[in-house]
Amino acid sequence: MFKALVVDIDGTLTDKKRAINCRAVEALRKLKIPVVLATGNISCFARAVAKIIGVSDIVIAENGGVVRFSYDGEDIVLGDRSKCLRALETLRKRFKVELLDNEYRKSEVCMRRNFPIEEARKILPKDVRIVDTGFAYHIIDANVSKGKALMFIADKLGLDVKDFIAIGDSENDIEMLEVAGFGVAVANADEKLKEVADLVTSKPNGDGVVEALEFLGLI
């Protein structure tokens, strides 16, 4: 029996226009287990969404670079942003880079998707990686992932990470699904994520979340 759920926000609970699926919100509110929200977005965004949805205040932000356990608590920064800033300067020598939410990022660098990511990957140092969430590019400390953040949270909650169900849509969710006890990719998910998922839903985004929760007998 699974004891907790971690679910991505953008592209999973929301669609491409970032509109949240109200059926998924209602389904999450019915759960009797802790719900952790995960996102590539900034901490204050994740904190607000968790409060509005009405689930636990435990969130993973910045692709695993930041976690927090309470609405009024402090951000716990797991990533080294200085590595990402050095890598940014490498990219700027080759590409025109447009930063997003730069003043709010604590563990990574977020950029508009206006240059070829595969070319970027060839020139970045090994101590960082760049991921495409479908909404933006992120330079992340190579030691950071949503999966490692989930392991950190599970330990603090006194749970085994295998006690978690993980639901996502993007390549930045791969590690999260791999470490969880059961991984779900919604229908609109990246093909790489579908390859590691235990279940691929027939429906996209929030409707896929509801489908997964019904399949697992949680609602």
Side-chain angles (χ1 to χ4, degrees):
M1 182 66 179
F2 296 107
K3 299 178 181 179
L5 169 73
V6 58
V7 58
D8 172 62
I9 299 175
D10 299 299
T12 304
L13 292 177
T14 73
D15 63 18
K16 272 299 208 180
K17 295 181 179 179
R18 297 186 185 271
I20 198 161
N21 185 297
C22 293
R23 288 187 65 237
V25 170
E26 289 301 320
L28 293 178
R29 288 175 176 170
K30 293 177 182 177
L31 297 182
K32 304 301 183 183
I33 58 176
V35 176
V36 177
L37 297 184
T39 181
N41 218 313
I42 54 180
S43 173
C44 59
F45 169 86
R47 173 188 182 216
V49 172
K51 184 60 69 179
I52 290 169
I53 290 178
V55 293
S56 79
D57 293 328
I58 306 170
V59 297
I60 298 170
E62 296 188 26
N63 297 292
V66 176
V67 299
R68 63 183 302 134
F69 288 88
S70 66
Y71 186 79
D72 295 320
E74 298 294 326
D75 286 340
I76 300 172
V77 181
L78 303 179
D80 183 352
R81 192 168 190 255
S82 64
K83 296 179 184 179
C84 304
L85 291 172
R86 287 194 295 270
L88 171 64
E89 294 311 309
T90 298
L91 288 186
R92 279 176 162 162
K93 293 175 183 177
R94 181 82 171 268
F95 308 109
K96 184 178 180 180
V97 177
E98 183 178 350
L99 298 180
L100 302 173
D101 303 322
N102 189 51
E103 65 271 35
Y104 303 112
R105 299 270 164 184
K106 297 182 178 181
S107 71
E108 62 166 37
V109 173
C110 183
M111 304 157 290
R112 198 169 301 282
R113 301 168 72 240
N114 59 359
F115 57 87
I117 192 170
E118 292 303 328
E119 291 300 311
R121 284 176 172 145
K122 293 176 183 177
I123 63 174
L124 284 177
K126 299 299 183 183
D127 61 350
V128 300
R129 60 194 180 103
I130 185 169
V131 299
D132 181 2
T133 65
F135 294 90
Y137 292 157
H138 301 254
I139 304 175
I140 305 169
D141 181 343
N143 295 317
V144 160
S145 72
K146 287 184 181 179
K148 289 182 178 178
L150 182 61
M151 293 171 69
F152 180 88
I153 287 172
D155 181 65
K156 295 297 183 183
L157 296 179
L159 297 173
D160 189 303
V161 73
K162 296 300 181 184
D163 291 331
F164 277 82
I165 302 159
I167 307 178
D169 77 298
S170 182
E171 68 173 90
N172 67 331
D173 297 317
I174 289 175
E175 293 89 348
M176 188 172 78
L177 266 65
E178 287 178 331
V179 302
F182 192 87
V184 178
V186 288
N188 55 291
D190 184 276
E191 290 302 319
K192 294 178 182 177
L193 188 70
K194 291 179 179 179
E195 291 175 3
V196 304
D198 298 297
L199 171 69
V200 178
T201 65
S202 63
K203 298 176 183 177
N205 307 116
D207 287 336
V209 173
V210 175
E211 178 185 337
L213 297 179
E214 290 175 341
F215 174 83
L216 292 165
L218 293 175
I219 57 172

